[in-house]
Amino acid sequence: MKNRKINLFLSFTTVFSFFLFCFSFSAGKKNSVNSIKSALVNPSYSENIEKIIVQSPQEILVLKSEGKWWSCENRGIKTFADKKTVSNFIKNLSKIRNMYKISDSLDGRIGLGLTEGSAQIVTVVGSNGKILSKLYFGASDSLSSRITVAAEKGKICYETEDDFSAYLKTDVNFWSIPEIFFAIKNPSNLKLSSADLHTLLSLRHGKIYGANAFPENAVFEKSITLFGQYDSLQRVDFYKRKAQEGFEYFYSQTVEPQVVKDNAVFEVSSWTYERLQKILK
């Protein structure tokens, strides 16, 4: 009698396991149908991208290829963009990734915030002026580390790995090159030790003050020019103004050959300016 009960239990367990396996296989097959491997921008276009427009419901930022440089502009404030940051963004846009279908209806797209008035929109433009891709990004899920995305003319909405949120910014401060001296790596006119040169080229600016305009009460302090090969140079003009405690410092820069006209004015900390003075004394 005892053996019979054991056999019945084992038989039931075997049948249950079989049905569980069939269900798992069926679910896995369904999930595979609802997922694809694709890139958001065709990888073959990645070397020919001329412009990237990042748009929020309130603002638009334009990244533009300027030969060996990139520029970034928003609300009339324009400066050099960090090439490494732009390159990483393009790399993420053009890499083959898993895309998980979550909706194929207009109502679903509205509910996911993937519309003109609610999404972060990224438009990628090629060197011929043709739009290569226009993408609508929605909410990011911190638990799954995924973000929702849809193409402009596609009705299907997907989730994919969220390596985009860091770049969906319209703030010029985020995209700008962080170092003050970046254009000339081996200046011919400065006699500095390798350690001092490394420190000089590592000095970073603060936030952007405005579009090519210093505070009214700021006075010119000094100009520093770094000369490179083939008539290239970078000139940085420093200004200061009296603050409640000490001084506040600002600068603008000119890079030749000229790429960015009317470059933004940046703030620089007192510590950074004093460090600069010490290096170039």
Side-chain angles (χ1 to χ4, degrees):
M1 186 69 176
K2 184 177 180 180
N3 289 336
R4 185 180 177 185
K5 288 182 177 180
I6 292 174
N7 289 335
L8 284 172
F9 174 76
L10 292 175
S11 297
F12 173 79
T13 303
T14 302
V15 171
F16 177 77
S17 298
F18 174 76
F19 278 111
L20 183 63
F21 168 77
C22 290
F23 175 78
S24 299
F25 178 78
S26 175
K29 187 175 182 181
K30 182 179 180 181
N31 285 337
S32 66
V33 172
N34 288 330
S35 66
I36 61 171
K37 281 188 174 291
S38 180
L40 297 180
V41 174
N42 190 322
S44 64
Y45 297 152
S46 62
E47 297 298 323
N48 297 310
I49 294 174
E50 180 77 16
K51 186 186 297 183
I52 302 173
I53 303 168
V54 183
Q55 180 180 349
S56 73
Q58 294 80 32
E59 292 187 314
I60 296 177
L61 175 130
V62 178
L63 299 164
K64 188 175 184 299
S65 175
E66 310 278 4
K68 64 177 288 190
W69 305 104
W70 279 80
S71 65
C72 54
E73 184 175 8
N74 180 6
R75 294 187 176 183
I77 297 176
K78 186 175 183 180
T79 190
F80 289 88
D82 184 42
K83 289 189 290 185
K84 184 177 180 181
T85 305
V86 176
S87 177
N88 287 339
F89 189 27
I90 292 174
K91 181 179 178 181
N92 291 351
L93 287 167
S94 57
K95 89 174 179 183
I96 304 298
R97 59 180 58 246
N98 292 319
M99 308 274 291
Y100 304 95
K101 176 181 172 183
I102 55 175
S103 175
D104 60 0
S105 69
L106 178 60
D107 288 342
R109 184 162 180 155
I110 294 172
L112 291 166
L114 297 173
T115 61
E116 197 77 27
S118 57
Q120 298 287 109
I121 303 173
V122 174
T123 305
V124 182
V125 182
S127 55
N128 59 359
K130 181 180 178 181
I131 293 179
L132 304 177
S133 188
K134 188 170 183 180
L135 305 162
Y136 290 66
F137 289 90
S140 174
D141 188 333
S142 59
L143 293 178
S144 64
S145 297
R146 293 179 184 173
I147 191 170
T148 54
V149 62
E152 177 189 22
K153 298 179 180 178
K155 68 175 184 177
I156 300 177
C157 305
Y158 295 95
E159 275 188 340
T160 190
E161 174 192 358
D162 185 15
D163 47 7
F164 294 108
S165 287
Y167 303 98
L168 301 178
K169 301 181 188 297
T170 57
D171 185 359
V172 179
N173 286 287
F174 169 78
W175 290 101
S176 66
I177 297 176
E179 292 82 17
I180 299 173
F181 299 95
F182 61 85
I184 309 297
K185 296 301 181 185
N186 294 294
S188 58
N189 60 314
L190 296 182
K191 305 304 179 185
L192 299 175
S193 67
S194 58
D196 282 343
L197 179 60
H198 175 75
T199 300
L200 177 70
L201 299 181
S202 299
L203 292 176
R204 297 191 169 207
H205 58 71
K207 65 181 181 179
I208 293 173
Y209 174 76
N212 195 35
F214 291 95
E216 289 185 4
N217 54 345
V219 295
F220 176 76
E221 181 71 3
K222 69 186 305 179
S223 181
I224 298 171
T225 301
L226 276 59
F227 290 102
Q229 293 181 320
Y230 312 113
D231 297 324
S232 62
L233 64 85
Q234 179 181 12
R235 190 185 77 246
V236 181
D237 299 320
F238 288 92
Y239 286 71
K240 71 177 181 179
R241 71 172 176 180
K242 185 70 175 174
Q244 288 184 345
E245 295 183 8
F247 291 93
E248 295 176 329
Y249 296 92
F250 308 85
Y251 76 86
S252 66
Q253 58 184 300
T254 301
V255 175
E256 296 287 352
Q258 193 175 54
V259 171
V260 176
K261 296 180 181 179
D262 299 327
N263 203 349
V265 170
F266 290 83
E267 296 182 10
V268 62
S269 70
S270 298
W271 181 92
T272 299
Y273 188 78
E274 289 168 6
R275 186 74 171 167
L276 176 69
Q277 292 280 73
K278 185 176 181 180
I279 294 171
L280 298 177
K281 63 183 179 179

